[in-house]
């Protein structure tokens, strides 16, 4: 197979005329990676009549299904049940929490994953236009992926190779005392104490689970606050809730070193303070899984391991796209889904609307949950000017369903003066379930008065969104404007 470059005036970059006379197999699209972005692209492309080769070295579904979203949320639900059992008397129910049976918890978690995996296998296997290729793929030409010596050529290629749990320089993960989220998901015991290195989404979710299971937890975060990417008021509310739950955390304290002790680990942070625990969970984020996959060799532009794309998910190499965690930005399964669908439609000539990254909903499934979409107050002021931004906080204490659930928190709206709502931020039990309406409010550039006229079912937490918009529209019902 050969290829030669010429100039395309539309993108001012080298493009490739493809010679596809020699390949083993040729497809409309070859997708390298069967995680959220990859399999979504495959399914949508097949619906549009395109032929697809989907290459995956592990299990279809990728990190989200097997090592991320699904198993962690199963653990979080088990933690919620433990808390409800422990606190049941406040609801008039006498129950006793005898303990946490990790074998049974893991059986429940693994059962959820197995059922979803079986369904996904059937969905992809039953699609007549999708060829599933099991094995480690590598980009060996701008239009060709090689798997175990066999080459699959695509008129288009989608890079969707996902991410891995990162560590820090000099911090060796051994899988026993120093672990990542991958190890934490398969633990067969409840540790006595854990230090969580990293106060982002992964770190606070595991801290929340372990505290509910009775573990002594300390979070160490180098940034000034937990979940620092969220609105500052949401971060502060989570910190207050964690203090109440007796989850220890130290923010603005960079990690310096870790030493193994007879009983576990000793972690030293900035200022020389040392903290000891049975385990250290390294939760410092996820890195792009792009090493040794041939991307750079084929001329794909990279930055610190990430694949750079334009707003239409195109790399600098024509007909080569990238989606999901390998593209800079939010590392969320639903972002990968949407990017995969977008690229399939783009290739099919459907001309889909560009994805607004700010319009992608974000949920942290700790206790309490954080959910948001759009701009934080700080980013809105930066973008529109401080004097143009108005905010409103509706306290969940005024919401009937929140009182029933015995949860506290708020709905915060960020709007442009005399303009639309540009950010929605929520804290409280189960607020992640409210993010759908909030996403519509942001993405449809709704004005407070437009949302205020909608009827919200009573009693639901969803009413809190309606009440907040009523107040911001100048006609509060159960709150002060």
């Amino acid at each position: 197979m050969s290829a030669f470059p010429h100039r395309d005036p539309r993108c001012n970059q080298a493009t490739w005329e493809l010679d596809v006379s020699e390949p083993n197999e040729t497809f409309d699209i070859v997708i390298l990676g069967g995680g959220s972005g990859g399999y979504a692209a495959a399914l949508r492309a097949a619906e549009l009549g395109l032929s697809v080769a989907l290459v995956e070295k592990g299990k279809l579904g990728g990190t989200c299904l097997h090592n991320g979203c699904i198993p962690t949320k199963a653990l979080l639900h088990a933690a919620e049940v433990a808390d409800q059992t422990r606190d049941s008397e406040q609801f008039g129910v006498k129950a006793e929490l005898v303990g946490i049976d990790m074998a049974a918890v893991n059986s429940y978690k693994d059962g959820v994953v197995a059922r979803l995996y079986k369904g996904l296998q059937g969905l992809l296997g039953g699609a007549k236009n999708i060829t599933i290729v099991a094995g480690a793929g590598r980009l060996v030409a701008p239009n060709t992926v090689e798997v175990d010596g066999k080459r699959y050529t695509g008129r288009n290629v989608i890079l969707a190779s996902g991410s891995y749990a990162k560590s820090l320089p000099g911090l060796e993960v051994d899988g026993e005392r120093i672990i990542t989220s991958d190890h934490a998901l398969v633990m067969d015991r409840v540790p006595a104490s854990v230090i969580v290195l990293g106060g982002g989404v992964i770190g606070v979710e595991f801290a929340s689970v372990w505290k509910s299971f009775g573990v002594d937890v300390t979070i160490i975060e180098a940034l000034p606050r937990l979940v620092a990417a969220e609105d500052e008021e949401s971060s502060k509310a989570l910190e207050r809730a964690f203090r109440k739950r007796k989850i220890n955390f130290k923010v603005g304290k960079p990690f310096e070193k870790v030493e193994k002790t007879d009983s576990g680990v000793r972690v030293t942070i900035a200022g020389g303070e040392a903290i000891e625990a049975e385990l250290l969970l390294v939760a410092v984020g996820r890195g792009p899984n792009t090493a040794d996959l041939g991307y750079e060799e084929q001329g794909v532009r990279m930055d610190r391991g990430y694949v750079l794309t334009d707003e239409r998910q195109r790399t600098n190499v024509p007909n080569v796209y990238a989606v999901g965690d390998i593209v800079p930005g939010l590392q969320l399964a639903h972002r990968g889904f949407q990017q995969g669908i977008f690229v399939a439609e783009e290739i099919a000539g459907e001309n889909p609307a560009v994805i607004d990254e700010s319009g992608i909903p974000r949920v942290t499934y700790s206790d309490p949950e954080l959910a948001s979409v759009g701009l934080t107050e700080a980013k809105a002021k930066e973008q529109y000017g401080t004097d143009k931004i108005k905010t409103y906080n509706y306290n969940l204490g005024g919401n009937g369903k929140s009182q029933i659930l015995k949860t506290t928190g708020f709905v915060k709206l960020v709007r442009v003066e005399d303009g639309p709502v540009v950010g929605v931020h929520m804290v409280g039990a189960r607020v992640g379930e409210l993010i759908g309406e909030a996403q519509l409010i942001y993405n449809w550039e709704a004005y407070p008065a437009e949302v205020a006229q909608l009827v919200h079912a009573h009693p639901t937490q969803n009413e809190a969104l309606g009440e907040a918009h009523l107040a911001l529209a100048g006609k509060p019902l159960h709150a002060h404007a």
Side-chain angles (χ1 to χ4, degrees):
M1 181 177 304
S2 62
F4 54 92
H6 70 83
R7 304 302 296 183
D8 183 341
R10 294 172 300 172
C11 55
N12 193 30
Q13 61 188 17
T15 63
W16 299 84
E17 295 287 357
L18 305 178
D19 174 2
V20 294
S21 58
E22 303 174 357
N24 298 71
E25 293 194 53
T26 302
F27 299 83
D28 291 316
I29 307 176
V30 175
I31 303 171
L32 183 49
S36 302
Y39 84 69
L43 288 170
R44 183 64 181 128
E47 288 174 352
L48 293 168
L50 302 176
S51 60
V52 178
L54 180 61
V55 179
E56 173 55 52
K57 68 177 180 179
K59 292 182 176 180
L60 293 168
T63 294
C64 174
L65 178 54
H66 301 285
N67 303 101
C69 321
I70 300 302
T72 57
K73 278 51 184 181
L75 287 182
L76 281 154
H77 182 62
E80 181 184 12
V81 172
D83 285 332
Q84 289 179 339
T85 304
R86 186 183 291 113
D87 301 330
S88 64
E89 283 199 38
Q90 66 180 313
F91 303 103
V93 178
K94 293 181 181 288
E96 182 182 357
L97 180 62
V98 177
I100 305 297
D101 181 348
M102 280 308 299
V105 170
N106 285 330
S107 177
Y108 152 69
K109 166 180 63 69
D110 295 342
V112 172
V113 172
R115 288 189 293 275
L116 290 171
Y117 180 44
K118 184 177 180 180
L120 180 60
Q121 286 178 302
L123 191 62
L124 289 165
K128 64 179 180 179
N129 290 345
I130 299 176
T131 298
I132 297 172
V133 182
R138 193 171 192 278
L139 194 67
V140 295
N143 65 328
T144 305
V145 173
E146 185 175 88
V147 184
D148 297 329
K150 186 173 182 178
R151 295 191 170 195
Y152 300 84
T153 293
R155 296 175 182 86
N156 301 274
V157 172
I158 302 176
L159 309 179
S161 46
S163 61
Y164 65 93
K166 288 197 303 184
S167 185
L168 294 176
L171 180 53
E172 183 180 349
V173 173
D174 61 14
E176 295 179 358
R177 299 188 193 183
I178 305 172
I179 64 174
T180 67
S181 57
D182 293 342
H183 305 107
L185 283 170
V186 296
M187 285 183 63
D188 59 1
R189 73 187 195 283
V190 178
S193 56
V194 178
I195 297 169
V196 177
L197 182 58
V201 174
I202 296 171
V204 301
E205 287 187 352
F206 272 102
S208 192
V209 168
W210 275 323
K211 187 61 182 180
S212 297
F213 285 175
V215 179
D216 181 16
V217 182
T218 301
I219 303 171
I220 296 170
E221 171 56 58
L223 294 175
R225 51 191 173 91
L226 298 181
V227 284
E230 292 294 335
D231 190 84
E232 186 171 356
E233 287 191 66
S234 296
S235 292
K236 296 301 182 184
L238 180 67
E239 290 177 358
R240 288 194 297 272
F242 272 19
R243 287 191 192 98
K244 188 174 181 180
R245 294 186 63 194
K246 295 182 169 51
I247 296 176
N248 305 308
F249 58 89
K250 298 179 182 295
V251 294
K253 297 288 186 181
F255 163 86
E256 289 190 345
K257 65 177 180 178
V258 60
E259 304 163 279
K260 294 182 181 180
T261 66
D262 292 340
S263 58
V265 293
R266 180 186 300 112
V267 174
T268 303
I269 59 178
E273 182 180 0
I275 307 162
E276 296 194 14
E278 183 180 331
L279 293 176
L280 170 63
L281 170 67
V282 182
V284 293
R286 299 188 64 83
N289 187 26
T290 56
D292 302 320
L293 294 181
Y295 298 174
E296 287 185 289
E297 291 89 330
Q298 300 309 319
V300 176
R301 195 157 62 95
M302 315 276 287
D303 180 25
R304 294 172 296 173
Y306 289 95
V307 177
L308 301 181
T309 69
D310 64 12
E311 64 179 5
R312 305 198 75 81
Q313 306 305 134
R314 299 174 296 198
T315 71
N316 62 304
V317 178
N319 302 320
V320 177
Y321 300 80
V323 301
D325 287 358
I326 63 173
V327 179
L330 297 168
Q331 291 182 316
L332 298 170
H334 45 280
R335 175 181 182 249
F337 288 145
Q338 194 62 30
Q339 288 178 340
I341 293 168
F342 176 93
V343 171
E345 293 179 349
E346 178 82 352
I347 290 170
E350 298 284 308
N351 193 32
V354 170
I355 299 167
D356 178 1
E357 290 275 319
S358 295
I360 297 171
R362 310 173 291 274
V363 184
T364 301
Y365 295 87
S366 53
D367 178 16
E369 289 184 356
L370 277 63
S372 62
V373 65
L375 305 178
T376 64
E377 180 180 348
K379 286 193 175 297
K381 288 179 176 177
E382 180 182 322
Q383 183 169 327
Y384 293 99
T386 300
D387 59 335
K388 295 293 186 182
I389 295 300
K390 305 297 181 183
T391 66
Y392 180 78
N393 284 45
Y394 175 77
N395 192 314
L396 291 184
N399 176 259
K401 188 59 179 288
S402 296
Q403 285 289 322
I404 292 168
L405 295 173
K406 287 189 174 291
T407 187
T408 58
F410 59 80
V411 172
K412 176 179 178 177
L413 304 180
V414 180
R415 74 169 297 194
V416 179
E417 185 177 24
D418 299 325
V421 172
V422 295
V424 181
H425 306 276
M426 300 178 283
V427 178
R430 305 183 186 180
V431 294
E433 299 300 326
L434 309 183
I435 200 63
E437 182 181 355
Q439 181 186 17
L440 294 178
I441 289 166
Y442 171 81
N443 282 284
W444 288 351
E445 299 180 336
Y447 282 57
E450 293 173 325
V451 182
Q453 68 185 349
L454 302 177
V455 180
H456 293 79
H458 175 76
T460 63
Q461 285 187 292
N462 189 234
E463 285 181 282
L465 271 170
E467 293 272 3
H469 283 84
L470 278 166
L472 202 52
K475 46 182 180 180
L477 186 61
H478 296 101
H480 298 291

